[in-house]
Amino acid sequence: MSFWRVLLAILFPPLSVIGRGCGSILIVFLLTLCGWVPGVIAALVILNNPNG
């Protein structure tokens, strides 16, 4: 997980998970619409997953 991905996850969460597939982008986008904090948390969890 690079510094730039973490920074992007904080500023605009859906863009940070763009390399993880359509499902991840959709989930993070919907959570970001519900609130900024859930979107950031979801993006950081997806980025921290080594299997993705």
Side-chain angles (χ1 to χ4, degrees):
M1 188 164 51
S2 71
F3 170 75
W4 298 111
R5 288 278 183 166
V6 173
L7 187 63
L8 195 57
I10 293 170
L11 297 177
F12 192 68
L15 277 181
S16 66
V17 294
I18 204 158
R20 300 292 179 136
C22 184
S24 296
I25 296 169
L26 185 63
I27 290 170
V28 173
F29 181 73
L30 291 174
L31 285 170
T32 303
L33 286 178
C34 293
W36 177 71
V37 173
V40 170
I41 292 172
L44 289 174
V45 166
I46 291 171
L47 288 175
N48 200 27
N49 186 3
N51 298 330

